[in-house]
Amino acid sequence: MKKVVVLSGKGGTGKTTVAASFIALGKKLAAADCDVDAPNLHMVLQEEVEQEEDFYGSYLPHINEDTCIECRLCETSCPYGAIADLQINGAKCEGCGVCEYLCPVEAITMEEEITGKTYLSRIHSGIFSHARLKIGGEHSGKLVTAVRKNAEAKAEDEEIMIIDGSPGIGCMVISSMAGCDLALIVTEPTESGLHDLQRIAEVAAHFRVPTLVCINKYDLNIEKSQKIHNWCKDRGILVAGEIPFDETVYTALREAKPVVEYPDSAAGKGIAQLWERLLEFC
Amino acid sequence: MIISVLSGKGGTGKTTVAVNLALAAGKGVYIDCDVEEPNGFIFLKPQISEKTPVEIEIPSFDTEKCVACGECAQKCRFHAIALVKGKLLFFPELCHSCGLCQLVCGQRAIGKGKKTIGMIEKGFSGSLAFAQGILNVGERSGVPVIKRLREETGAGELIVRDCPPGSSCSVMEAVEGSNYAIIVTEPTPFGLHDMKIAVELLRYLQIPFGVIINKWGEGDRMIEDVCEKEGIPIISKVPFSREIARSYSKGDTLENSAYMEYFVQAMQRIKELVK
């Protein structure tokens, strides 16, 4: 199964819009939403949820009040300042276990902590895996890896997996792209879009993931689109497609439908052409 | 007063709002806490006068004292150390700098080392003080950079923090200690869905907040309806405008545009609400 991850660096360029349309056009295809702290893909796919599970991604210390002698060594030793008045601040705690190790009376036990929820569903083309990270969730990269592994474990004859990534360049993104056959970076014709494209492209190169670029809403600023083309050409990165700005995208979103279900729309045609191009690399 | 600008969904206009709110205030500090993909500098074009690397602590292994017992590898909850064929392998990108390995080593073979993960830059854009954090490409967590940025910019008369998208630990770190938060959203189903996630985060942290609806248009009531129902103040509705989009795409602020009035009013409203 070929793994294609859709990234952007910058938020709001159209990753989910494009990913959802690819999934609609695909036949034997698995889908994974790795934007686990703000997942949107499930909103535009017709899914039948088959499995819903708690995800244990970290540990939280539990202080036994009966055994505790209130020496406060845990408070002073916590590297993250997560213990105050013998209360654990879940948002600050990273689950390292230093407190448990140092407690002179063994009053602290590290307990598995639920950091999110995973979902496995069926869509028309195959398996769909997604998750939701708990608020302020730690180790989001771990949950992203779980989303991918769940999809891979349940995939049968799916030929391609489309991974909808998150914005940024940190652990969620790195875990989304690790080991992928292709990264499609969706960018926009703005200075911010170009700047962020440069950083995410560097990450993809660092992790040796072959990269293609697509310029979304390209006609909103032709000069900036050209600037992106020039930069990509200098770096030897192929611009696999351009999608025009199209109000149909908002219409499709409000109807909770992929844009390609409006095949006569300019954006629908642009994405369909991009998909055909992408398939040449799969 | 510290105002954090966040969104849940990426691309709703956090930087547009944060930059222009800071300019509307006239004086104060703009801090770009989106250390993975900072954009504020594109608009404010600051003169940078100070650059400080951000270092985190990582273990350093004395291979001569090490007896390959594997205790550190076994105890590390982040799987940053592995013992393979009698040799210790360390994965710095997985390390959370907790220091547990140094504590458990029976041979005192593990000491404190350092690794640079990013940079903090400070300067001025006109009379507005500017600070940003930049995470090095390949690093997994911007949290220590954001933390350092917060600590170094401390308190002041007015601080506007431009936060990362999402709701994970980076966002939590960026909003910590804020007096008020602004959720920037857009009138789309994704915007609404992710706004609710940001609302959940701020309620959990007990930080008072309001909403700015960006790219607003007539008839798009989905955000207003939810805000009214939940008692969330709508600080401003910045209309969808090709002029704003064009300025944004070029990397220009709205300082010389009639739209700046929205941000002046928004700043006024926020000051009233914080009192």
Side-chain angles (χ1 to χ4, degrees):
Chain A
M1 186 168 62
K2 293 277 186 195
K3 290 169 272 214
V4 178
V5 62
V6 182
L7 296 169
S8 59
K10 187 176 187 324
T13 57
K15 293 178 292 305
T16 301
T17 302
V18 166
S21 278
F22 285 171
I23 293 160
L25 291 168
K27 306 236 172 353
K28 291 182 188 173
L29 201 147
D33 189 351
C34 289
D35 189 358
V36 299
D37 73 343
N40 293 145
L41 191 56
H42 65 281
M43 294 168 68
V44 273
L45 295 181
Q46 301 301 318
E47 63 167 342
E48 263 184 51
V49 180
E50 289 181 351
Q51 210 174 299
E52 195 180 308
E53 268 177 19
D54 285 329
F55 180 73
Y56 292 86
S58 190
Y59 297 90
L60 209 58
H62 174 258
I63 301 176
N64 185 330
E65 284 173 12
D66 298 327
T67 327
C68 175
I69 55 170
E70 298 192 27
C71 68
R72 311 268 170 150
L73 187 57
C74 53
E75 276 186 35
T76 51
S77 330
C78 174
Y80 315 107
I83 309 181
D85 293 330
L86 301 173
Q87 297 299 312
I88 312 294
N89 182 333
K92 290 190 176 181
C93 175
E94 298 199 14
C96 67
V98 164
C99 52
E100 179 200 47
Y101 183 77
L102 288 177
C103 180
V105 295
E106 293 182 6
I108 301 180
T109 44
M110 297 303 287
E111 288 171 359
E112 279 197 300
E113 185 197 1
I114 295 173
T115 55
K117 230 181 173 88
T118 57
Y119 302 89
L120 263 178
S121 315
R122 284 267 142 223
I123 52 174
H124 72 279
S125 59
I127 198 82
F128 173 35
S129 173
H130 54 113
R132 169 79 198 270
L133 186 71
K134 229 177 79 173
I135 287 296
E138 281 286 326
H139 316 311
S140 41
K142 243 181 162 182
L143 183 56
V144 167
T145 303
V147 167
R148 285 182 55 175
K149 283 197 169 141
N150 286 351
E152 285 163 43
K154 287 283 181 179
E156 290 162 354
D157 56 354
E158 288 90 328
E159 289 163 358
I160 301 175
M161 176 155 75
I162 301 287
I163 300 168
D164 186 8
S166 66
I169 59 160
C171 61
M172 271 197 281
V173 168
I174 293 170
S175 298
S176 307
M177 68 157 63
C180 282
D181 300 285
L182 194 60
L184 173 70
I185 301 175
V186 180
T187 187
E188 60 178 39
T190 64
E191 274 303 315
S192 304
L194 173 58
H195 176 262
D196 295 358
L197 159 65
Q198 289 164 346
R199 277 171 67 80
I200 186 69
E202 208 185 318
V203 179
H206 181 88
F207 289 96
R208 302 195 209 284
V209 181
T211 301
L212 297 174
V213 162
C214 133
I215 310 174
N216 194 11
K217 305 176 240 179
Y218 81 90
D219 50 348
L220 282 186
N221 191 324
I222 300 285
E223 188 207 323
K224 294 293 176 200
S225 284
Q226 193 53 53
K227 204 172 170 185
I228 292 170
H229 272 284
N230 295 343
W231 183 83
C232 289
K233 191 169 171 207
D234 285 342
R235 291 280 298 221
I237 298 174
L238 181 69
V239 176
E242 288 180 324
I243 304 162
F245 176 77
D246 187 347
E247 296 276 358
T248 312
V249 173
Y250 298 113
T251 309
L253 192 53
R254 285 199 187 100
E255 300 294 312
K257 284 184 192 166
V259 177
V260 288
E261 288 195 17
Y262 301 78
D264 296 328
S265 67
K269 285 181 187 161
I271 297 176
Q273 275 167 14
L274 175 63
W275 176 240
E276 288 305 311
R277 200 72 218 274
L278 200 98
L279 288 176
E280 290 170 27
F281 294 89
C282 285
Chain B
M1 174 167 65
I2 300 172
I3 303 170
S4 285
V5 181
L6 60 153
S7 63
K9 189 180 183 327
T12 55
K14 289 177 293 307
T15 298
T16 299
V17 167
V19 160
N20 290 295
L21 269 183
L23 288 170
K27 56 176 177 171
V29 191
Y30 164 89
I31 306 176
D32 198 341
C33 297
D34 185 358
V35 303
E36 291 181 30
E37 294 281 23
N39 286 150
F41 75 93
I42 292 170
F43 302 90
L44 291 171
K45 301 171 177 60
Q47 296 293 323
I48 299 295
S49 53
E50 204 183 308
K51 290 189 188 190
T52 321
V54 178
E55 291 174 330
I56 56 163
E57 252 182 39
I58 52 167
S60 74
F61 300 87
D62 186 335
T63 44
E64 282 174 30
K65 287 187 185 164
C66 174
V67 298
C69 66
E71 201 53 18
C72 56
Q74 209 200 36
K75 288 281 194 293
C76 175
R77 284 183 184 267
F78 308 108
H79 308 293
I81 309 172
L83 186 65
V84 176
K85 292 182 185 168
K87 270 195 145 170
L88 268 188
L89 289 175
F90 173 57
F91 306 102
E93 67 273 13
L94 297 176
C95 177
H96 281 236
S97 308
C98 69
L100 183 64
C101 51
Q102 288 149 62
L103 295 172
V104 307
C105 179
Q107 311 305 313
R108 300 200 189 192
I110 305 178
K112 288 187 204 233
K114 279 189 207 171
K115 182 172 86 139
T116 302
I117 60 162
M119 187 77 82
I120 299 223
E121 296 184 346
K122 291 185 195 171
F124 277 88
S125 171
S127 58
L128 188 63
F130 173 95
Q132 70 177 357
I134 308 167
L135 182 69
N136 289 349
V137 161
E139 292 296 335
R140 283 172 179 266
S141 175
V143 166
V145 182
I146 300 170
K147 186 161 193 259
R148 190 71 53 79
L149 194 53
R150 268 195 309 102
E151 287 163 359
E152 294 213 0
T153 47
E157 215 179 285
L158 173 69
I159 295 175
V160 177
R161 290 190 197 151
D162 191 355
C163 300
S167 63
S168 71
C169 44
S170 289
V171 183
M172 299 269 280
E173 195 64 49
V175 305
E176 182 168 320
S178 305
N179 303 103
Y180 201 76
I182 299 284
I183 301 176
V184 181
T185 187
E186 58 182 41
T188 65
F190 288 177
L192 176 60
H193 177 272
D194 296 356
M195 179 188 91
K196 290 178 180 173
I197 294 174
V199 167
E200 211 186 313
L201 177 84
L202 293 169
R203 282 182 175 159
Y204 170 73
L205 293 173
Q206 296 182 307
I207 296 174
F209 62 95
V211 159
I212 288 182
I213 309 176
N214 197 14
K215 306 180 225 175
W216 178 83
E218 296 285 354
D220 286 324
R221 284 211 53 91
M222 60 175 82
I223 307 290
E224 284 104 310
D225 290 343
V226 169
C227 287
E228 274 158 35
K229 190 170 156 226
E230 298 274 323
I232 301 169
I234 296 174
I235 306 292
S236 182
K237 298 184 215 183
V238 181
F240 175 84
S241 137
R242 289 252 174 179
E243 188 196 321
I244 296 180
R246 193 146 176 91
S247 284
Y248 178 81
S249 71
K250 291 194 300 181
D252 293 337
T253 69
L254 296 172
E255 219 173 357
N256 300 317
S257 147
Y259 289 100
M260 192 40 140
E261 193 51 34
Y262 285 93
F263 299 93
V264 172
Q265 302 272 6
M267 202 62 235
Q268 211 32 57
R269 184 97 205 275
I270 295 165
K271 284 180 179 166
E272 285 162 22
L273 283 165
V274 173
K275 270 184 200 134

